[in-house]
Amino acid sequence: MNLFTRTSPRDKKSNLYYITLVGLLCLGSYLLGIWRTSSVIPRAAFDYSTGPPCEKFSKTISTRDLDFNPHHNPRDPPPVPSTAASFPSCSARLSEHTPCEDAKRSLKFPRERLEYRQRHCPERDEALKCRIPAPYGYKTTFRWPESRDVAWFANVPHTELTVEKKNQNWVRYENDRFWFPGGGTMFPRGADAYIDDIGRLIDLSDGSIRTAIDTGCGVASFGAYLLSRNITTMSFAPRDTHEAQVQFALERGVPAMIGIMATIRLPYPSRAFDLAHCSRCLIPWGQNDGVYLMEVDRVLRPGGYWILSGPPINWQKRWKGWERTMDDLNAEQTQIEQVARSLCWKKVVQRDDLAIWQKPLNHIHCKKTRQVLKKPEFCRHDQDPDMAWYTKMDSCLTPLPEVDEAEDLKTVAGGKVEKWPARLNAVPPRVNNGDLKDITPEGFLEDTELWKKRVSYYKKLDYQLGETGRYRNVLDMNAYVGGFAAALADEPVWVMNVVPVEAKVNTLGVIYERGLIGTYQNWCEAMSTYPRTYDFIHADSVFTLYQDKCEPEDILLEMDRILRPGGGVIIRDDVDVLIKVKELTKGLQWEGRIADHEKSPHERVKIYYAVKQYWTVTAPEEEDKNNTKALS
């Protein structure tokens, strides 16, 4: 049989009609497509005479309208409106704006016990919705350790201290920079020599002293020079006539906060510091029933030291220079000695300008002395010693954790911490004792290993974090047990570990037991620090934590205020939260991208890495011109 059939002329004619019809339909569809496209894309987009076609097209259709983000919901999320225009620059006069330490606002608060000079935040409807500018001429800070001794004048344009403290060698101004010789009111030979004097009285080198607090710190030279001895100091001072002292400390790369001992507790947990220090800090230690020494006792670890230099110590030789009477100074020292004894402190030594007391390891003996020393009484058990956010100071003695009376007086209440550096990764006593709900020793060790992996991944996202020395001042906004900071322990950085007051578990005591430092904070309010404090900010689940408490733009504006130009940010949160945050940061002049979770791209938690762009206020002469135009 023939497999091929012959086609008739009639069939050929039918096929020709069919092909013609299909061709006409295709041509009509093509012409219709051109007509519809011409209503969207201007004819000029096809004019190649002035440039390549792709370039002309890109000017017409912006790439910002294209969505490259993966979607993890069954339905696409609604588009987030751009907020880039909602965060203008604040006035140049606000370049050092610290919302909760505003001098004008403080005037309406009582003067008694300096209450007016402590933290007072504006109402939320009073908060600024603008970006705090860097001063004109602002420069990237010197890298550590060079920054310990030098800072740019343009970054902290204040010369008051160079005049007021000229003879005390705090700070010198030469050409375009400040120099910090390491001097202080009570250490004219320099902070290093002063610390050496202390080291001859108590051991600063065996790792048992790791965390310190310096009250009324000046420019924090004491804390700056303790760093070389592996001792990290939380320095604080009020924002007062010495306008820039804390700002100088932060510019040097030294941990510091704005703060004062007035009517509320310091924002630290009980049993936090191994050493407390006051060098002519002008705090009336013996007054007000000794409440300020009771607060030092609360934050001091069992066996910790309190060091005092300056009035009234060594008054017999110095009273003429202090312009006070011998009787007055003698009475002040007697008062301090009485309060210290009532707290069961032991005076270790007084030599020349230094006096050192030591807190007992436990309160076995102290409870017995209450029968003789009626005051101060022990604080009630319902007064949480770790609660320190707007918590009033009490004139009572914070009891140490119970110790069996049959045990030795050398037993450390609450448990003994390891010496540094073993202390960093050893299970802290509060975890071993089961003091914190849901945190087991195994969970603590797992968290430590987890953050080592996460920080290793972060360094791949932010090459500056992986560049040794690029960052110095680091903030962790939701630190949990300090795993992020511990993973950076070998880097030349210090980390301010914040435990939000809204966190489910108060873990700040654990952080201090690791030999790290930190503070409490409500992120719906401003932090007690100057603008441009931190080189790098880490925020783990912060926006989810505050989702129903305040607006994300308020938190972002505060982050922008305290972040230095060119500084880095890593925000770790749910992908839907990060998409909104990323959109908001367009108005902050941040440049960033969302990256996958280090474990898997299928995880809902993502990582937003961003950099704050460098910008400052305009030159003074240009600002004057703009003001003149506005007035005319």
Side-chain angles (χ1 to χ4, degrees):
M1 183 177 67
N2 190 356
L3 296 176
F4 297 94
T5 56
R6 189 182 299 274
T7 303
S8 67
R10 187 174 182 178
D11 291 337
K12 288 181 178 178
K13 192 172 182 180
S14 296
N15 289 340
L16 182 62
Y17 287 147
Y18 177 77
I19 292 169
T20 303
L21 178 61
V22 170
L24 289 172
L25 288 173
C26 289
L27 179 63
S29 298
Y30 177 73
L31 293 174
L32 179 63
I34 292 176
W35 176 76
R36 288 176 62 84
T37 305
S38 65
S39 65
V40 178
I41 304 174
R43 183 179 300 273
F46 294 94
D47 180 8
Y48 304 158
S49 61
T50 58
C54 293
E55 184 180 330
K56 296 292 291 184
F57 189 83
S58 67
K59 293 177 181 177
T60 308
I61 307 295
S62 173
T63 55
R64 69 182 179 185
D65 299 321
L66 303 178
D67 183 9
F68 293 102
N69 292 315
H71 298 291
H72 298 262
N73 293 327
R75 290 181 296 177
D76 290 351
V80 180
S82 175
T83 56
S86 61
F87 303 135
S89 169
C90 298
S91 167
R93 61 183 175 80
L94 294 172
S95 66
E96 294 178 1
H97 181 54
T98 52
C100 298
E101 280 78 20
D102 182 78
K104 291 182 179 179
R105 185 182 303 107
S106 69
L107 295 176
K108 58 186 179 184
F109 292 93
R111 298 292 191 275
E112 187 179 0
R113 281 180 54 183
L114 301 178
E115 182 179 346
Y116 76 106
R117 289 174 63 186
Q118 65 189 16
R119 178 183 173 88
H120 301 290
C121 295
E123 298 296 328
R124 290 190 186 174
D125 57 356
E126 298 174 344
L128 298 177
K129 296 290 184 179
C130 53
R131 292 173 294 130
I132 303 300
Y136 179 72
Y138 178 89
K139 298 180 182 180
T140 301
T141 56
F142 292 93
R143 293 195 178 193
W144 184 266
E146 186 181 6
S147 65
R148 187 191 71 174
D149 303 322
V150 62
W152 296 113
F153 168 77
N155 293 10
V156 193
H158 295 285
T159 56
E160 296 93 333
L161 281 177
T162 63
V163 177
E164 291 188 35
K165 304 295 181 180
K166 183 177 181 180
N167 298 325
Q168 296 169 16
N169 223 18
W170 278 28
V171 57
R172 297 198 314 267
Y173 172 50
E174 295 176 8
N175 298 326
D176 58 352
R177 62 197 69 186
F178 290 108
W179 294 92
F180 302 92
T185 307
M186 292 307 301
F187 31 97
R189 294 181 294 122
D192 242 350
Y194 175 79
I195 293 169
D196 286 339
D197 290 341
I198 294 173
R200 282 186 278 270
L201 303 177
I202 58 174
D203 196 341
L204 299 176
S205 61
D206 69 347
S208 59
I209 295 176
R210 166 61 184 175
T211 56
I213 183 169
D214 189 15
T215 56
C217 65
V219 295
S221 288
F222 180 72
Y225 282 84
L226 275 177
L227 286 166
S228 63
R229 293 163 168 82
N230 283 324
I231 298 174
T232 303
T233 306
M234 177 69 78
S235 301
F236 74 87
R239 181 167 184 168
D240 58 4
T241 54
H242 300 161
E243 180 84 14
Q245 53 186 338
V246 168
Q247 196 174 12
F248 275 132
L250 293 164
E251 198 69 18
R252 299 173 71 182
V254 179
M257 290 182 64
I258 299 173
I260 189 171
M261 297 193 80
T263 67
I264 60 175
R265 287 178 173 178
L266 299 173
Y268 317 117
S270 65
R271 297 179 281 133
F273 300 99
D274 305 309
L275 184 150
H277 174 259
C278 163
S279 175
R280 200 171 187 179
C281 57
L282 304 180
I283 296 173
W285 295 113
Q287 298 178 21
N288 304 307
D289 298 322
V291 66
Y292 298 132
L293 275 181
M294 293 176 199
E295 177 63 1
V296 170
D297 180 83
R298 183 186 71 85
V299 300
L300 204 56
R301 280 193 55 74
Y305 297 98
W306 183 57
I307 302 173
L308 177 64
S309 67
I313 304 304
N314 202 18
W315 59 266
Q316 295 89 342
K317 292 184 178 180
R318 290 188 172 272
W319 67 277
K320 290 183 179 179
W322 290 336
E323 298 180 352
R324 292 173 60 183
T325 66
M326 297 175 69
D327 289 342
D328 180 31
L329 288 163
N330 185 30
E332 183 181 350
Q333 179 152 356
T334 301
Q335 200 174 37
I336 290 173
E337 302 274 9
Q338 289 173 345
V339 174
R341 280 196 298 271
S342 74
L343 300 176
C344 303
W345 290 5
K346 173 187 175 184
K347 190 169 187 180
V348 177
V349 65
Q350 178 172 329
R351 185 175 300 170
D352 297 327
D353 295 329
L354 287 165
I356 301 177
W357 286 262
Q358 186 175 23
K359 179 177 176 176
L361 294 174
N362 57 58
H363 276 161
I364 292 176
H365 182 265
C366 197
K367 287 180 179 178
K368 295 177 180 178
T369 63
R370 291 307 94 184
Q371 300 172 7
V372 178
L373 299 171
K374 300 298 183 182
K375 289 186 178 182
E377 296 179 348
F378 279 106
C379 300
R380 301 187 312 272
H381 288 291
D382 60 349
Q383 294 172 284
D384 186 350
D386 290 344
M387 186 175 291
W389 186 251
Y390 294 120
T391 305
K392 289 288 184 181
M393 286 185 189
D394 290 308
S395 296
C396 58
L397 176 56
T398 302
L400 288 171
E402 291 292 333
V403 172
D404 191 334
E405 288 196 21
E407 295 186 48
D408 195 318
L409 289 175
K410 293 183 180 179
T411 301
V412 179
K416 186 178 181 180
V417 295
E418 298 284 345
K419 292 184 178 181
W420 184 264
R423 180 173 170 178
L424 179 67
N425 294 314
V427 178
R430 295 184 202 222
V431 175
N432 259 333
N433 297 340
D435 295 346
L436 301 180
K437 184 180 178 182
D438 300 329
I439 302 180
T440 63
E442 295 76 18
F444 171 83
L445 294 174
E446 288 173 5
D447 184 82
T448 299
E449 293 303 314
L450 175 64
W451 278 104
K452 288 179 182 178
K453 295 175 182 177
R454 286 180 173 177
V455 169
S456 178
Y457 181 64
Y458 286 171
K459 289 180 178 179
K460 295 176 183 177
L461 297 178
D462 179 3
Y463 73 91
Q464 295 187 119
L465 184 61
E467 180 187 341
T468 301
R470 171 59 184 88
Y471 296 143
R472 173 61 185 171
N473 301 358
V474 177
L475 171 68
D476 190 358
M477 296 176 67
N478 188 11
Y480 189 47
V481 292
F484 172 76
L488 290 171
D490 293 332
E491 303 289 338
V493 303
W494 64 270
V495 181
M496 181 68 78
N497 293 279
V498 170
V499 172
V501 293
E502 293 78 12
K504 292 181 179 178
V505 184
N506 183 354
T507 54
L508 194 54
V510 170
I511 288 169
Y512 274 94
E513 287 183 339
R514 299 187 77 170
L516 305 170
I517 61 170
T519 185
Y520 295 112
Q521 177 66 35
N522 176 349
W523 287 116
C524 291
E525 299 179 359
M527 197 174 183
S528 290
T529 192
Y530 282 90
R532 301 171 298 282
T533 289
Y534 295 102
D535 303 299
F536 182 88
I537 297 177
H538 177 246
D540 180 10
S541 305
V542 170
F543 291 90
T544 293
L545 180 63
Y546 284 91
Q547 210 155 19
D548 301 320
K549 299 176 178 67
C550 53
E551 297 301 319
E553 53 262 38
D554 295 331
I555 300 175
L556 285 168
L557 279 166
E558 175 60 7
M559 292 172 69
D560 186 79
R561 183 185 77 87
I562 62 180
L563 184 64
R564 288 173 172 169
V569 176
I570 283 183
I571 303 174
R572 184 186 194 89
D573 222 312
D574 183 85
V575 62
D576 291 339
V577 172
L578 288 188
I579 289 172
K580 295 176 183 177
V581 167
K582 184 176 185 294
E583 186 67 25
L584 286 167
T585 58
K586 291 179 181 178
L588 299 175
Q589 292 189 11
W590 291 9
E591 288 188 1
R593 62 185 179 90
I594 296 177
D596 284 322
H597 189 281
E598 68 278 352
K599 185 177 178 182
S600 165
H602 303 296
E603 298 283 338
R604 281 196 60 84
V605 172
K606 302 292 180 186
I607 297 161
Y608 177 45
Y609 162 62
V611 174
K612 176 180 176 178
Q613 298 303 293
Y614 174 90
W615 67 280
T616 70
V617 297
T618 57
E621 56 270 15
E622 289 188 21
E623 189 174 5
D624 292 340
K625 290 178 182 177
N626 294 335
N627 292 338
T628 302
K629 288 181 180 179
L631 290 172
S632 61

